[in-house]
Structure formats: structure tokens, C-alpha cells
């Protein structure tokens, strides 16, 4: 006589999507980028994207400068930044004229750091090195958008998603986008906290019931039950995620979390186009 365990008695194991995973490589290769675009990965990380010396050069220069914050009516807890963020200049489904005015000061501020290299140009070159169309800064109405910002979310980012096709009434860039990524390069990380959390959940109309008042973010209950993964930042590492998945950044403890960041669009032309 044999005994067995019925399905009813077996412990519950949450289902896992084998494509909801993080890939790691020595560079942003064509295979990794196309895999992220196709949904075979949720994120791609490249350790040692910048040397510790390059990270330290940028950090030292930034320490002498005052950071601004994203609009505090919409972004709470506050997130500090050096540079211009287009999200602060959204108006009626488009981009306000104030964005272009702010970009002039942005360019002057970054040049005033007197770095030995252009960090955003180096990032774009490496990002597009293995992609047939390469990478360039996107344009809107023929005008070049911002190339990136330094962000310091020491109190974290709330659960949210980023999707230019939903955030803007028409195409944000002159070339339509068929995919979107978010790029971060970590210059400084805390001894604990600061993790990026991704959920296998994309926006649904019913999610708006969880949106916090006048905020970019949602109550974390919006992703209750969704599969998730957590990525701990490392100095010099670059991370590329699909930001249409809901994601958040946990508060930092013990030190600053500073990263260079920009959005990346996969354009219908085949090129990678960036903006901030």
C-alpha cells in the first residue's frame, strides 16, 4: 500500500514567469538589448560600466553644487536632482516652454563642473555600441531634449511606472517610440537600502484607484500579489529596466544614493533615443 499527497495538501508555490529576471553582461550587447525589448528580461545590469575613478570625479564635482528637487507638489518624499527633468515641465499632455528655458541653464551647469569627459555622451556611446542604429539624444520639434540628470532619491521613489506613450497626448519625440527603457548609472550607494524593486505588473485602468492624491506614485497595494524582484545598486554599475513595469526605489540608509539617469526609447527608426 502506498500513500501520496494530494494537490490540496501540497504547499502553495507562487507561479514564476521565467522571463521576469535580471540579465547581467560585460556590456549592453545586441542580445541583451533585444531581449529586454522583447520582454525576455525585466532588467539588464552591466557591472563596472564606469570605473571608480570616473564615479569619484563626477561625485567630487557635484559635491560643490547645490541640488534642486523635483516639484514637491507631485513628488513626495522629495527627490533631489542636478539637471533638468522633463517631468517637471509637463503641460496639457505636452511639454511646457519652461522646459526649453530650463535646459539652457542645465547645459551651463553641467559644463561648469569642468569634468575631463562628458558622462552622458560616454554612457550613450557605450549603450549604443552594439546596437545597429546607435544611440543619440532625442529631439522634439527639431530641438534636442536634455541628455540626463544626476538624481539623489535618498528617501526613495514611490511605486510608479514610466511610459511616454501614456504620459503625453502625442509622440514625445519626433520619431515614434515602440519601446522604452530607463537607464541608471550608480555613482554612490548606501551600505543598506536604495534597492530598485520591479513588479511584474503593467498599468491597468483599475490601478488609478490606488494613485496617491496629486502624486506621480501609487499605494503599494496596487502591486499586491504581483511577482517582484529586487536589485541592489553597486558603484559603477549601469542598470537598464523596462519602466513600464511598476517599480520603486527603497529609502537609503547610511550614505547618499546618487545616480546618473535618463530615459531611453527604442524608436521606429531602429535607433536608441535618450531624454531627461
Amino acid at each position: 500500500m502506498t500513500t501520496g499527497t494530494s494537490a490540496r495538501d501540497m504547499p502553495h508555490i507562487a507561479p514564476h514567469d521565467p522571463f521576469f529576471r535580471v540579465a547581467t553582461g560585460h556590456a549592453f550587447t545586441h542580445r541583451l538589448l533585444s531581449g529586454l525589448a522583447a520582454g525576455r528580461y525585466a532588467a539588464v545590469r552591466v557591472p563596472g560600466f564606469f570605473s571608480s575613478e570616473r564615479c569619484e570625479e563626477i561625485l567630487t564635482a557635484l559635491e560643490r553644487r547645490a541640488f534642486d528637487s523635483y516639484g514637491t507638489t507631485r513628488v513626495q518624499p522629495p527627490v533631489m536632482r542636478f539637471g533638468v527633468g522633463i517631468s517637471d515641465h509637463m503641460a496639457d499632455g505636452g511639454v511646457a516652454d519652461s522646459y526649453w528655458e530650463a535646459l539652457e541653464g542645465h547645459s551651463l551647469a553641467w559644463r561648469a563642473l569642468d569634468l575631463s569627459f562628458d558622462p552622458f555622451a560616454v554612457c550613450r556611446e557605450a549603450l549604443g555600441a552594439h546596437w545597429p542604429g546607435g544611440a543619440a539624444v532625442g529631439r522634439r520639434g527639431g530641438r534636442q531634449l536634455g541628455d540626463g540628470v544626476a538624481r539623489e532619491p535618498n528617501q526613495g521613489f514611490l511605486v510608479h511606472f514610466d511610459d511616454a506613450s501614456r504620459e503625453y497626448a502625442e509622440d514625445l519625440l519626433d520619431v515614434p517610440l515602440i519601446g522604452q527603457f530607463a537607464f541608471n548609472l550608480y555613482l554612490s550607494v548606501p551600505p543598506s537600502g536604495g534597492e530598485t524593486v520591479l513588479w511584474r505588473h503593467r498599468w491597468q485602468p483599475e490601478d488609478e484607484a490606488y494613485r496617491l492624491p496629486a502624486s506621480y506614485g501609487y499605494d503599494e497595494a496596487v502591486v499586491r500579489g504581483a511577482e517582484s524582484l529586487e536589485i541592489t545598486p553597486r558603484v559603477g554599475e549601469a542598470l537598464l529596466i523596462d519602466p513600464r513595469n511598476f517599480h520603486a526605489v527603497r529609502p537609503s540608509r547610511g550614505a547618499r544614493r546618487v545616480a546618473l539617469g535618463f530615459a531611453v526609447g527604442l524608436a521606429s527608426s531602429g535607433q536608441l533615443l535618450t531624454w531627461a
Side-chain angles (χ1 to χ4, degrees), residues 28 33 36 49-50 58 70 81-87 99 103 106 110 117-129 134-138 145-151 157 160 162 164 172-173 177 179-187 237-243 247 257-266 272-276:
F28 288 112
L33 290 173
L36 183 62
F49 192 81
F50 266 19
I58 302 169
Y70 284 93
R81 59 170 170 78
F82 184 80
V84 174
I86 196 170
S87 60
Y99 173 69
L103 270 186
H106 161 95
W110 276 95
F117 65 104
D118 180 338
F120 297 117
V122 172
C123 288
R124 286 194 305 276
E125 182 178 358
L127 180 61
V137 181
L145 296 169
D147 51 2
V149 296
R151 285 191 288 251
F157 275 110
H160 68 288
D162 301 296
L172 172 62
L173 306 183
L177 301 179
Q180 185 172 334
F181 312 134
F183 176 93
N184 280 278
L185 169 66
Y186 302 106
L187 305 176
E237 181 175 77
L239 175 68
L240 204 61
I241 69 169
D242 185 333
H247 56 284
R257 182 193 193 273
V258 182
L260 301 182
F262 49 78
V264 184
L266 175 55
L272 297 174
L273 298 176
T274 71
W275 72 91

Side-chain angles (χ1 to χ4, degrees), residues 170-179 265-271 273:
E170 299 178 348
D171 291 327
L172 172 62
L173 306 183
D174 290 343
V175 183
L177 301 179
I178 57 176
L266 175 55
S268 58
S269 63
Q271 195 174 26
L273 298 176

Side-chain angles (χ1 to χ4, degrees), residues 57 61 64-65 108-117:
E57 179 183 349
R64 301 192 297 266
R65 305 292 173 172
L108 291 172
W110 276 95
R111 285 199 296 270
L113 294 181
D114 198 27
L115 298 171
S116 64
F117 65 104

Side-chain angles (χ1 to χ4, degrees), residues 21-126:
R21 54 182 171 155
V22 181
T24 302
H26 68 280
F28 288 112
T29 63
H30 185 273
R31 179 182 66 83
L32 291 175
L33 290 173
S34 59
L36 183 62
R40 289 190 291 272
Y41 312 118
V44 174
R45 60 197 308 180
V46 176
F49 192 81
F50 266 19
S51 66
S52 58
E53 291 78 13
R54 277 189 160 175
C55 293
E56 187 60 33
E57 179 183 349
I58 302 169
L59 274 175
T60 299
L62 288 173
E63 285 174 356
R64 301 192 297 266
R65 305 292 173 172
F67 277 48
D68 296 319
S69 63
Y70 284 93
T72 53
T73 300
R74 190 178 63 90
V75 181
Q76 285 290 343
V79 173
M80 307 307 293
R81 59 170 170 78
F82 184 80
V84 174
I86 196 170
S87 60
D88 275 344
H89 300 272
M90 295 174 64
D92 301 321
V95 179
D97 290 340
S98 58
Y99 173 69
W100 305 106
E101 298 164 5
L103 270 186
E104 295 179 12
H106 161 95
S107 299
L108 291 172
W110 276 95
R111 285 199 296 270
L113 294 181
D114 198 27
L115 298 171
S116 64
F117 65 104
D118 180 338
F120 297 117
V122 172
C123 288
R124 286 194 305 276
E125 182 178 358

Side-chain angles (χ1 to χ4, degrees), residues 195-268:
E195 301 89 355
T196 296
V197 185
L198 296 171
W199 285 270
R200 187 180 173 276
H201 179 83
R202 293 196 179 186
W203 183 85
Q204 301 291 328
E206 55 268 26
D207 292 339
E208 289 307 297
Y210 296 93
R211 186 184 284 275
L212 300 173
S215 175
Y216 74 99
Y218 294 77
D219 187 291
E220 198 156 318
V222 73
V223 289
R224 183 185 294 122
E227 184 176 358
S228 66
L229 55 83
E230 189 173 278
I231 304 168
T232 301
R234 298 283 183 260
V235 170
E237 181 175 77
L239 175 68
L240 204 61
I241 69 169
D242 185 333
R244 294 170 296 182
N245 288 319
F246 275 59
H247 56 284
V249 172
R250 298 307 189 199
S252 300
R253 295 182 294 275
R256 301 172 70 187
R257 182 193 193 273
V258 182
L260 301 182
F262 49 78
V264 184
L266 175 55
S268 58

